[in-house]
Each structure stands twice: as C-alpha cells, then as structure tokens.
Amino acid sequence: MKCEIEFLPVGDASKAGDAIVIRYGEPYDYKLMLVDGGHAKTGEQIVAHLRRFFGPSPVLEHVVLTHADGDHASGLRTVFERIPVRNLWMHALWLHAEEAFPLFANKATTIESLTRRIKGEYDIVSDVYDLAAEQGCAIRPAFAGSDIGPFRVLSPDLWTYLHLLPQFDKTPDPDQPAIERQGLWIGKASPASRLFESVKASLQSWTTETWDRERLRDGGITSASNESSVVLYGSFDGGPVLLTGDAGNRGLGWAAEAAVRMGLPLQGFQMVQVPHHGSRRNSGPTMLNRILGPIQPQHGPTRFSAYVSAPADDSKHPRNIVLNAFTRRGGYVIATQGVSKVHWGGFPARPGYTAAGQVPFFDRVEEYT
C-alpha cells in the first residue's frame, strides 16, 4: 500500500500547529485521512486543499485529533462543517471523568460536576465532538492498539491517559500522591511558570556544535497534554511511517514499548514526524537512538525523511539542536516553514510541486537551558 503524507503550513510567528493530509491506497483507489486541524483559520485552508486536489466533494475516511491543544483542534470545526467524515478518533476528555475521578484532588465534588467543568474548559474539543455527532460520524477513542485505516495507535493507552488527564493545564487540580505512586507524575505548569519559560525561550543564547559533539540532552519535560498525543505507526510500501504529534520523551517511550509488544519494528522508518514542531523538550538522544537508530557517519547516505511543521517566522520552532539530532541519525530533514511539504510515499508527484530541500546541518545551535 502507498501512503502520501502532506504537512500543510500552519500558523505564523510563534503560533505553530499541525494539519496533516494523508492519502493511502493506490493512485486510482485511495482513501483520505486528516491528522489534526491546526488553528481556527487553518480549517478553511484544509477544506480548500481537499477540494482542489481531491475533487469538489471529498470525503475523509478518518480524522484524528492527536490531543486537546487548540493548535491541533481548532480548525477541525470548519472541517466538520464543510466536509463529510466517516470516523473521528479522539480523546473526549469529559467522557473519562468518572474513570479519572480518584486521580483528582477534590474528592468532595461530583462526577457530574467534574464532567461539566472539563467539557466547559475544553470547548473547542467539545465543539468538534458535537459537530461530528451532528453529521452522523462515528466517534471512536484513540488509544493504544486501535487500528485507524492502515495506522496502529501506539500511545497512549487508556490507563496512562487517565493519569495524565488531571495534569492538563485546564483540568482541576490533580491528586499528586496518587499519580506519583504510579510513576506518572509530570506536573501542571502555572500561568506564571509558562510565561517564564516563554520569556526564557525568547532570550536564547547560542553555541557551536559539531557532528561528534551533540548538545541535545535527555530529560526534557513537556506538558501532560503533549504526552497524551496519539502516536501513529503505519506500514506501507517502502517501510513504516511514524507520526508523533506533540509527544515528548515519555510518550515516545510508551510508543516504542508498544511497538515492541506488537511486533512492529523500529529504526527502519521511511518517514518520521519531528515531535512538537522541533521543540528541544520533546526529543532526547537516548530516545532518538531507540526509535531511529544510532548516529551515522557524517556525509553518509540518508536513511529516512523527517518532517517538521513550524511557521516560517517562528523564533522558537524548530530548534537547530533538534534538527541536527535527526540529521545525525540519517534523517533527510524537511521543514514546512510556510510551505506545504509532501512525502509522496509511492504516489506520483502533483504538477506544480517541487522537490523539498533538505535542512542543513547547523554549526550554530541554541544553548540547552
């Protein structure tokens, strides 16, 4: 089976996001799939793209919302208003309130109150759910082991997700000791700490890097919401594909463990998605070695394509230090940065598209702070 994967340009300045259009099958017998919908204005862009290249009445076999963040969910409202969708795969946070109830700090509230509060805080995700239901779309939970067309969900599993949910930025306070007992405590950043991290990231200092001196470090921490991202593994002609959403080192680790249990090989990918727009907090050398393989000799042949979705004028994404890490392990790194980029995956290239250029290896990278 062939698989064409197109990363649409999403966002501007520091407002990165994801919208990935997938065509799988054969050139004259294929189905369409969408992974994430970017920002609100991305929805119109997705609709126009689908109609331009797949006819005036395209149908999406599957839509996957990888996680609840607005830069992945917002544009899906327009998609569901304009395009027929047969299956929506997502995490409807409020529907898990009862199962996750013991993991929230306030034991005096009711399950009904907790459900209403979560649904109210995540109104964009709720809107997507309601629009899908209105058009008669099947709505399915996207947890490990689910098969979505030719893709298998590697992460998260339901049990892990329930422990992450109370740690999301907009859910009520978590029961930290209960979550710590299961080894799944990440924490919940306060508005002040998020502002501090944003300011610190904007005051970036620089250093030199060589092929043999990797400055990316293990131990990066990203949000619980990011770690809840759906990680997808697809098997196709030419080798497997890995789509990572905004998963961090934990989510990637859970995905790798699931792949081993499911008998799905790692380190032989034809294409991978660079997690979270190339953030340094989401990838570390040890995890990249496990998933992609070890560092390769400099100037050797490329082993896989690595796509990163980031705006053209974003000073924080992607990080040179992360792109270098993928290049070292044999990646032909491609960044959207304002332009659609396509992994053709056996499908013929469309007229008007040109070959995507490779991001160079950078000898000047961000200090890891």
Side-chain angles (χ1 to χ4, degrees), residues 12-198:
D12 50 42
S14 61
K15 298 177 67 175
D18 274 349
I20 306 169
V21 176
I22 297 172
R23 174 168 59 151
Y24 61 90
E26 300 298 329
Y28 299 101
D29 182 18
Y30 61 81
K31 292 181 178 179
L32 297 174
M33 176 173 168
L34 175 66
V35 177
D36 289 328
H39 300 283
K41 66 180 182 181
T42 311
E44 294 285 356
Q45 179 186 351
I46 294 169
V47 171
H49 178 88
L50 292 172
R51 290 175 176 170
R52 177 183 178 188
F53 293 108
F54 304 111
S57 303
V59 175
L60 287 165
E61 186 71 19
H62 300 285
V63 168
V64 180
L65 174 56
T66 59
H67 62 300
D69 289 358
D71 60 332
H72 294 250
S74 298
L76 292 181
R77 291 179 292 192
T78 301
V79 171
F80 277 95
E81 289 169 349
R82 309 282 183 82
I83 302 292
V85 179
R86 293 200 172 105
N87 299 279
L88 169 62
W89 299 82
M90 64 179 294
H91 303 142
L93 303 80
W94 57 94
L95 296 183
H96 300 288
E98 182 173 2
E99 294 169 283
F101 185 83
L103 302 170
F104 286 94
N106 184 1
K107 311 301 183 185
T109 190
T110 65
I111 292 171
E112 292 76 13
S113 177
L114 179 62
T115 300
R116 286 195 302 271
R117 182 170 175 184
I118 294 174
K119 187 171 185 180
E121 289 289 350
Y122 288 89
D123 56 318
I124 296 173
V125 179
S126 176
D127 287 348
V128 171
Y129 183 97
D130 291 343
L131 287 166
E134 286 172 14
Q135 70 158 259
C137 173
I139 305 173
R140 309 177 189 278
F143 292 114
S146 299
D147 289 319
I148 304 177
F151 288 89
R152 171 71 59 88
V153 178
L154 297 182
S155 179
D157 59 41
L158 174 59
W159 185 83
T160 300
Y161 183 82
L162 295 177
H163 289 76
L164 295 175
L165 178 59
Q167 302 178 72
F168 287 10
D169 289 344
K170 296 190 290 185
T171 55
D173 290 340
D175 183 339
Q176 183 172 343
I179 297 171
E180 284 180 332
R181 284 194 291 272
Q182 303 303 323
L184 288 169
W185 179 252
I186 294 172
K188 181 180 296 198
S190 67
S193 64
R194 289 197 296 272
L195 177 61
F196 174 76
E197 283 295 323
S198 178

Side-chain angles (χ1 to χ4, degrees), residues 132-321:
E134 286 172 14
Q135 70 158 259
C137 173
I139 305 173
R140 309 177 189 278
F143 292 114
S146 299
D147 289 319
I148 304 177
F151 288 89
R152 171 71 59 88
V153 178
L154 297 182
S155 179
D157 59 41
L158 174 59
W159 185 83
T160 300
Y161 183 82
L162 295 177
H163 289 76
L164 295 175
L165 178 59
Q167 302 178 72
F168 287 10
D169 289 344
K170 296 190 290 185
T171 55
D173 290 340
D175 183 339
Q176 183 172 343
I179 297 171
E180 284 180 332
R181 284 194 291 272
Q182 303 303 323
L184 288 169
W185 179 252
I186 294 172
K188 181 180 296 198
S190 67
S193 64
R194 289 197 296 272
L195 177 61
F196 174 76
E197 283 295 323
S198 178
V199 171
K200 186 171 72 171
S202 67
L203 300 174
Q204 185 64 61
S205 57
W206 297 83
T207 187
T208 58
E209 184 173 68
T210 65
W211 191 270
D212 299 320
R213 176 69 169 91
E214 183 165 49
R215 296 189 181 273
L216 185 65
R217 301 177 191 172
D218 291 325
I221 298 174
T222 190
S223 70
S225 179
N226 285 343
E227 294 289 23
S228 78
S229 289
V230 175
V231 178
L232 296 170
Y233 185 111
S235 298
F236 302 101
D237 299 346
V241 163
L242 187 70
L243 299 178
T244 58
D246 282 359
N249 286 294
R250 287 195 177 199
L252 295 175
W254 299 326
E257 292 164 6
V260 171
R261 290 196 302 271
M262 298 173 187
L264 301 174
L266 301 172
Q267 302 188 9
F269 295 102
Q270 62 169 302
M271 193 281 285
V272 299
Q273 179 186 9
V274 179
H276 197 205
H277 323 296
S279 169
R280 68 190 184 282
R281 302 297 187 198
N282 293 64
S283 304
T286 300
M287 188 54 60
L288 292 181
N289 288 344
R290 182 178 185 185
I291 292 174
L292 304 177
I295 293 173
Q296 302 296 300
Q298 191 170 13
H299 307 305
T302 57
R303 301 167 51 242
F304 59 91
S305 298
Y307 286 74
V308 59
S309 178
D313 49 357
D314 187 345
S315 61
K316 294 183 290 185
H317 300 101
R319 296 290 189 176
N320 293 354
I321 197 173

